[in-house]
Amino acid sequence: MTLSTNAASEPKSHRPTPVPSPQYASTGLDVWTMMNQVAASVNAVNLGQGYMSYPPKEFIKRAAQEALVENTHNQYAPPRGRPGLLEQVGIHFANRLARPIDPSSELSIHAGANEALLSVFTAFLEHGKGQEVILMEPAFDQYTPNIIMSGGKPVYVPLRVQCADKDPAKDVISSHDWKLDMEELEAAINENTRIIVVNTPHNPVGKVFSREELEQIGAIAARHNLLILADEVYEHLTYGVEHISIATLPGMWERTVTVGSAGKMFGVTGWRVGWSVGPAELIQPTLSAHTRIVFTSNTPLQEGVASAFKIAKENDFLNIQCQEYERRRNRLMAIFDDVGLPYVVPDGAYYLLVNAAAIKIPSDYQFPDFIEERGANFKLVYFFIKEFGVSGIPPTEFYSEPHKHLANDYIRFAFCKTDEGLDEAAKCLQSLKRYLQETS
């Protein structure tokens, strides 16, 4: 009698199974899915994830619809991008950066700004070399995995609140009060450092870096011959302050790749169209990486964005949209003024960091294991959703482990929402007053 070597005949418990990479083997729910599910369980007003709860303007939707019916718009686009969109992005950045932009060599269209970021990291980091990227915390949560996938190591330098005359747990403060210690930044640089990521306007703080701050960062990058990756997806959303692209500063164009987003610019985050802009010497390797990651971005929506750019200039869309966001920002700030919670006034983007240190969570409150294991900030946000019916995002998700304590008292809310949604949030939040305690 011969023994069977057929794996199908072996007991199931003894069969070997493929082993995933440790980076993804134990990955749980991402914070967005987790908090969206908690919000859905109580039908909460969703001010968490930064998607728009209102439809795009008609001219934007019409641009995509018209692009879809053109037969030639339903096949592969060139990896660099459709000529019409390259032209429009080139015009936009020629005005923004006050320099001519060659769409044939200084631009690349991507499958969203996140893929543009990944393409830059892939192009400028090598596996096995221990190369490092400086991130300023709180940092958008996609930066770290993108860097690791590209073979790099993230190094974190936090923004710190500096306002001696105010207590953030009691007082409204400005996003400009969140400062980068330039000595701490430079001390984090060594012979392995390759890139500094500069996110302005900043998610989630809403800080718009000043010219002086950008000059200091640029000088440090120049001293150490570092690439600057400028994440400027909220470039068109600033409130009473000027957005300055670091690429416009003397000597910075040559070492900067600037990333932007049609999703943020036109309120169509699901379209996944973004771009990278910079000197040909930096864009060519970025394009090469992009070609191997996704090959190209979808054709009809590239054409839709190109048309939207043209019409937006004619109807002053970006300025009008910015005014609408500022009104929503002011409405959400007024809501928290009314219930007695302080916040960080954002100068840009569409998020409000609220300091909820004054909320007293009952000591016997029961949290599910998937929240309990994530720490105090997740518990605060979960309590907020369950008890008050308004969802936010725990900003500790934007920090490395050593710095999470800096955000334990905060909740991030998005104000890219309808007036009806904000009004409903105002009603729901009235119930939190009974949980307020005196902070010391």
Side-chain angles (χ1 to χ4, degrees):
M1 182 177 177
T2 59
L3 294 176
S4 171
T5 59
N6 186 348
S9 65
E10 296 179 20
K12 188 173 182 181
S13 60
H14 293 160
R15 294 180 199 168
T17 57
V19 179
S21 161
Q23 184 179 348
Y24 300 104
S26 60
T27 300
L29 278 180
D30 64 272
V31 66
W32 319 105
T33 302
M34 179 188 296
M35 292 306 166
N36 282 341
Q37 289 181 358
V38 175
S41 72
V42 293
N43 197 28
V45 180
N46 196 332
L47 304 186
Q49 195 168 358
Y51 63 83
M52 296 72 185
S53 63
Y54 43 83
K57 301 297 185 184
E58 284 301 317
F59 80 89
I60 298 171
K61 293 191 292 184
R62 190 165 55 249
Q65 292 165 349
E66 292 174 354
L68 278 168
V69 300
E70 171 55 56
N71 288 336
T72 60
H73 293 169
N74 290 283
Q75 306 305 324
Y76 292 124
R80 186 181 293 276
R82 293 285 294 185
L85 181 55
L86 288 167
E87 178 185 18
Q88 291 303 312
V89 175
I91 293 170
H92 173 76
F93 275 96
N95 293 328
R96 167 70 72 186
L97 304 181
R99 64 177 299 122
I101 300 293
D102 183 352
S104 69
S105 63
E106 297 177 333
L107 286 176
S108 177
I109 304 302
H110 296 266
N114 190 37
E115 190 263 312
L117 295 166
L118 177 60
S119 294
V120 175
F121 292 135
T122 302
F124 289 92
L125 297 172
E126 295 182 67
H127 286 263
K129 296 290 185 69
Q131 296 176 342
E132 298 179 356
V133 180
I134 304 292
L135 299 178
M136 302 170 199
E137 292 183 309
F140 178 50
D141 69 326
Q142 291 288 348
Y143 294 154
T144 290
N146 282 357
I147 291 165
I148 294 171
M149 283 192 292
S150 302
K153 174 186 175 183
V155 175
Y156 305 98
V157 180
L159 301 174
R160 301 182 190 275
V161 175
Q162 296 180 18
C163 49
D165 59 333
K166 292 182 179 179
D167 179 356
K170 297 179 179 178
D171 303 315
V172 172
I173 65 172
S174 167
S175 56
H176 192 63
D177 292 326
W178 292 61
K179 304 288 188 180
L180 177 65
D181 185 323
M182 299 299 167
E183 292 183 0
E184 187 176 4
L185 172 63
E186 191 150 23
I189 296 170
N190 59 47
E191 66 277 4
N192 294 319
T193 310
R194 293 293 179 271
I195 303 171
I196 299 177
V197 177
V198 179
N199 175 209
T200 182
H202 186 277
N203 170 21
V205 174
K207 176 183 177 68
V208 177
F209 281 79
S210 68
R211 181 179 298 275
E212 180 183 6
E213 290 173 313
L214 294 174
E215 287 173 343
Q216 291 175 311
I217 294 168
I220 291 170
R223 274 198 296 276
H224 298 275
N225 192 26
L226 303 179
L227 173 72
I228 294 174
L229 178 48
D231 180 354
E232 299 185 3
V233 298
Y234 301 102
E235 60 172 293
H236 57 293
L237 293 177
T238 59
Y239 316 114
V241 299
E242 179 187 10
H243 165 65
I244 298 169
S245 291
I246 194 168
T248 62
L249 302 182
M252 289 299 106
W253 165 256
E254 293 78 8
R255 64 175 64 256
T256 302
V257 176
T258 302
V259 167
S261 165
K264 299 297 192 294
M265 182 171 285
F266 294 109
V268 287
T269 58
W271 287 20
R272 311 308 296 150
V273 176
W275 42 79
S276 59
V277 183
E281 295 79 10
L282 303 182
I283 295 301
Q284 184 54 53
T286 299
L287 174 60
S288 296
H290 158 74
T291 303
R292 296 306 169 209
I293 294 169
V294 295
F295 182 62
T296 187
S297 177
N298 77 81
T299 299
L301 294 183
Q302 285 194 52
E303 291 295 332
V305 173
S307 296
F309 260 114
K310 294 178 185 177
I311 299 170
K313 294 173 198 164
E314 298 169 2
N315 63 17
D316 200 27
F317 167 73
L318 292 179
N319 285 329
I320 294 171
Q321 177 181 243
C322 187
Q323 293 167 12
E324 293 173 349
Y325 273 101
E326 186 169 13
R327 178 179 56 78
R328 294 188 183 100
R329 179 198 71 157
N330 294 346
R331 172 67 176 128
L332 188 57
M333 291 192 302
I335 289 170
F336 283 102
D337 285 334
D338 179 62
V339 298
L341 287 183
Y343 48 82
V344 180
V345 178
D347 288 333
Y350 48 63
Y351 306 104
L352 187 72
L353 280 182
V354 172
N355 192 307
I359 296 292
K360 175 65 173 177
I361 300 176
S363 59
D364 59 349
Y365 197 85
Q366 296 297 305
F367 295 96
D369 289 343
F370 71 90
I371 292 293
E372 189 79 44
E373 66 189 17
R374 300 296 287 271
N377 193 229
F378 274 69
K379 291 163 73 172
L380 175 63
V381 175
Y382 179 88
F383 181 80
F384 221 90
I385 297 171
K386 284 287 192 176
E387 298 305 315
F388 312 138
V390 178
S391 73
I393 292 294
T396 52
E397 194 70 3
F398 294 76
Y399 283 88
S400 59
E401 196 62 41
H403 298 142
K404 285 184 183 294
H405 67 280
L406 297 172
N408 269 342
D409 293 333
Y410 287 98
I411 304 175
R412 191 199 79 167
F413 296 100
F415 52 85
C416 50
K417 307 299 178 180
T418 63
D419 291 341
E420 292 78 11
L422 295 176
D423 288 343
E424 183 62 26
K427 295 176 185 175
C428 293
L429 289 173
Q430 292 299 313
S431 61
L432 74 73
K433 293 178 180 179
R434 69 179 185 273
Y435 288 99
L436 291 180
Q437 62 181 337
E438 289 297 325
T439 54
S440 58

